[in-house]
Amino acid sequence: MHDVAERIRDLTDGGVQVAIDALGSAATSRAGIESLRPRGRHVQVGLLLGEDAEPSLPMGRVIAQELQIRGSHGLAAAEYAEMLAEIARGTLDLSRTVGRVIGMADLPSAMVAMGSPPTAAGMTVARLV
């Protein structure tokens, strides 16, 4: 993952302002932090579980470059109805975050695949119809 972070820093002329890890792996958390420019912010959304629960992070870089690490546990369940209504109305457009759309018949295999590294960027969305 170090090569990924180095490549991102090269492509962005020194690093990104914000990195978000929604996967929840030690490797992607570290790559996100290493991809930041000075005073950048890493947001950890994905839960780090199992052997990734206590990741080794580049704290020397965090301190030297005055980086911020933020945690986000997600949206409160009470707010789901409002969020889903905004999506249905089209006022909250998630199209740029969707990687693929599957039917309900493909949902079981997609759920099993969540235990492995992703093969494509973006969220997988299961449609009812």
Side-chain angles (χ1 to χ4, degrees):
M1 282 289 181
H2 178 73
D3 294 337
V4 170
E6 186 175 330
R7 180 77 173 125
I8 290 171
R9 286 195 309 273
D10 289 345
L11 289 171
T12 58
D13 196 28
V16 296
Q17 296 284 351
V18 177
I20 300 172
D21 173 22
L23 180 62
S25 85
T28 54
S29 293
R30 184 176 195 91
I33 292 168
E34 290 179 349
S35 299
L36 295 171
R37 69 178 52 245
R39 295 192 173 173
R41 178 182 299 170
H42 174 77
V43 182
Q44 186 64 43
V45 179
L47 295 175
L48 296 155
L49 303 172
E51 61 187 43
D52 286 343
E54 301 290 331
S56 170
L57 299 176
M59 292 310 291
R61 181 184 191 95
V62 171
I63 294 164
Q65 295 188 347
E66 298 181 337
L67 304 177
Q68 296 179 22
I69 301 175
R70 301 284 177 126
S72 177
H73 195 266
L75 190 63
E79 297 174 6
Y80 277 35
E82 180 182 345
M83 178 193 66
L84 293 171
E86 288 182 22
I87 294 169
R89 285 193 305 268
T91 55
L92 181 57
D93 180 12
L94 300 178
S95 62
R96 292 175 43 184
T97 65
V98 176
R100 66 187 184 126
V101 177
I102 62 173
M104 295 305 283
D106 296 321
L107 189 56
S109 61
M111 297 289 286
V112 170
M114 289 175 68
S116 302
T119 58
M123 293 185 289
T124 298
V125 176
R127 281 197 195 261
L128 292 173
V129 217

